[in-house]
Amino acid sequence: GENVEQHPSTLSVQEGDSAVIKCTYSDSASNYFPWYKQELGKGPQLIIDIRSNVGEKKDQRIAVTLNKTAKHFSLHITETQPEDSAVYFCAVIGSNFGNEKLTFGTGTRLTIIP
Amino acid sequence: DGGITQSPKYLFRKEGQNVTLSCEQNLNHDAMYWYRQDPGQGLRLIYYSQIVNDFQKGDIAEGYSVSREKKESFPLTVTSAQKNPTAFYLCASTVFSGNTIYFGEGSWLTVV
């Protein structure tokens, strides 16, 4: 099955700096790559996603890049703010049509230092 | 409001008891999922259902059971066979498999 690795597991950055979280996956036919933000005691919220026919996608301070050849994708948060502190999960949907399911990375706890 | 509603938010189970977690969605989504999250850990898939009256086991289905009698409902039963049920349980849904998946707010289950 699909294997997703996420790094780093914890990340602390000064407010205003950028944060980058990276995920690698094993199934070269995977085609959908969402990122979720989870605050304590709440369900994950989708913040951005990318499909395999696109190399980069931006939404204000958040961007995701995808390198299909190397089988990795990254979340970039610029001009970080205290409210960005949370746990971030990457996920991958595999290629088994009709039987797709999300496989999640293990999460990155991001702390923004004021 | 449209969304995914999980209940109860907090549930305590005595050893040997079965408990059922409710998940209802009014988004007209086809597929629904149950995930388990242990403290400081990622999400692991328990069961998922792509259509009414059909569901498949995920990676950690042992000790759990589900039903999908209605499109909007996907309850999860944690049976006494689940030896370590204390965790945060998340329900999710999507329009069709492979599209954006949305999560409910979760249910905390604790064994006492």
Side-chain angles (χ1 to χ4, degrees):
Chain A
E2 179 74 83
N3 183 42
V4 179
E5 295 188 0
Q6 183 172 346
H7 298 282
S9 57
T10 61
L11 179 61
S12 295
V13 301
Q14 290 291 138
E15 182 178 353
D17 288 349
S18 296
V20 181
I21 304 169
K22 182 178 176 179
C23 285
T24 60
Y25 59 97
S26 58
D27 185 351
S28 59
S30 294
N31 53 27
Y32 177 60
F33 309 90
W35 283 93
Y36 288 85
K37 175 183 181 182
Q38 187 178 28
E39 297 178 344
L40 189 62
K42 296 188 176 182
Q45 285 192 310
L46 179 73
I47 56 172
I48 196 166
D49 57 9
I50 193 167
R51 297 192 182 274
S52 58
N53 58 347
V54 176
E56 182 176 3
K57 183 177 178 181
K58 289 184 180 179
D59 182 3
Q60 300 182 350
R61 297 187 296 108
I62 295 173
V64 55
T65 58
L66 172 64
N67 184 326
K68 289 178 59 181
T69 302
K71 292 188 285 185
H72 67 72
F73 59 110
S74 299
L75 176 70
H76 305 255
I77 306 174
T78 59
E79 301 173 13
T80 53
Q81 301 169 3
E83 53 265 37
D84 294 330
S85 293
V87 178
Y88 291 82
F89 290 96
C90 65
V92 176
I93 281 190
S95 58
N96 187 5
F97 181 77
N99 195 30
E100 294 94 346
K101 55 183 181 179
L102 275 178
T103 300
F104 284 85
T106 50
T108 296
R109 181 172 298 279
L110 175 62
T111 302
I112 307 303
I113 303 167
Chain B
D1 284 347
I4 303 169
T5 302
Q6 291 188 236
S7 63
K9 180 68 176 179
Y10 301 95
L11 184 60
F12 297 89
R13 190 195 91 169
K14 293 182 180 179
E15 288 190 13
Q17 278 186 337
N18 292 354
V19 294
T20 298
L21 306 179
S22 170
C23 179
E24 302 277 333
Q25 53 95 1
N26 59 4
L27 301 168
N28 200 31
H29 284 176
D30 302 296
M32 298 185 73
Y33 307 79
W34 275 105
Y35 287 87
R36 169 179 171 144
Q37 186 175 31
D38 293 285
Q41 303 295 314
L43 285 74
R44 293 183 290 169
L45 182 64
I46 305 172
Y47 268 99
Y48 63 106
S49 169
Q50 295 176 317
I51 57 172
V52 175
N53 292 323
D54 187 50
F55 47 83
Q56 287 80 41
K57 292 182 178 180
D59 301 317
I60 55 165
E62 186 175 352
Y64 300 97
S65 66
V66 293
S67 63
R68 187 84 187 278
E69 297 177 1
K70 299 185 295 183
K71 185 177 184 179
E72 59 270 24
S73 179
F74 191 42
L76 173 73
T77 296
V78 184
T79 74
S80 57
Q82 172 50 241
K83 297 307 179 186
N84 186 24
T86 296
F88 189 48
Y89 290 86
L90 287 158
C91 179
S93 70
T94 186
V95 174
F96 56 85
S97 293
N99 213 328
T100 304
I101 293 180
Y102 298 93
F103 284 85
E105 286 300 294
S107 293
W108 291 94
L109 173 62
T110 303
V111 173
V112 296

